[in-house]
């Protein structure tokens, strides 16, 4: 069966009568106003400016500070806010900080984005 031109905006598939296997020829027309032949439409949506850019990973700093003396007692860089918060809380619950608080020191903790 010969492959005929597509004039109606659909697809045309014809098979080749080859005894060694079957080959198919498929034309697809993506134009809604095609009235005289096949339209070829190629689009390239790979517009990434030369490669994929991975933003830098966000880091968080857990800290504990003695506001009475102005001394930073603890700081640690962490990869997530949750792990930084856990680190600051853990140090706040340490015996050293507990003793400072009992001695009247004003001790605070927190997490900052690095």
């Amino acid at each position: 069966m010969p492959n005929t031109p597509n004039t109606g905006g659909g697809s045309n598939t014809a098979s080749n009568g080859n005894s060694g296997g079957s080959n198919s020829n498929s034309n697809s027309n993506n134009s809604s106003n095609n009235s005289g032949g096949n339209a070829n439409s190629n689009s390239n949506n790979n517009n990434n400016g030369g490669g994929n850019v991975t933003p830098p990973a966000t880091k968080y700093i857990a800290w504990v500070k003695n506001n009475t003396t102005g001394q930073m007692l603890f700081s640690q860089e962490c990869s997530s806010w949750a792990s930084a918060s856990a680190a600051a809380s853990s140090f706040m619950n340490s015996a050293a900080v507990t003793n400072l608080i009992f001695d009247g020191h004003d001790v605070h903790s927190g997490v900052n984005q690095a």
Side-chain angles (χ1 to χ4, degrees):
M1 172 180 209
N3 188 2
T4 58
N6 182 3
T7 60
S11 64
N12 182 19
T13 303
S15 63
N16 184 356
N18 185 347
S19 63
S22 66
N23 294 325
S24 66
N25 182 9
S26 176
N27 287 325
S28 177
N29 186 348
N30 295 324
S31 175
S32 60
N33 293 325
N34 183 12
S35 62
N38 293 326
N40 291 325
S41 173
N42 292 324
S43 64
N44 184 356
N45 294 326
N46 188 10
N47 187 12
N48 60 11
N52 293 331
V53 177
T54 303
T58 303
K59 300 286 186 180
Y60 299 90
I61 304 292
W63 56 268
V64 176
K65 183 177 182 180
N66 183 342
N67 283 348
T68 303
T69 63
Q71 181 183 13
M72 185 66 70
L73 302 174
F74 170 81
S75 68
Q76 179 179 342
E77 185 177 282
C78 300
S79 60
S80 72
W81 185 90
S83 62
S85 179
S89 295
S90 177
F91 193 81
M92 278 294 286
N93 292 328
S94 70
V97 173
T98 302
N99 289 336
L100 286 171
I101 293 171
F102 282 138
D103 289 341
H105 289 258
D106 185 23
V107 180
H108 293 275
S109 67
V111 174
N112 293 341
Q113 188 172 348

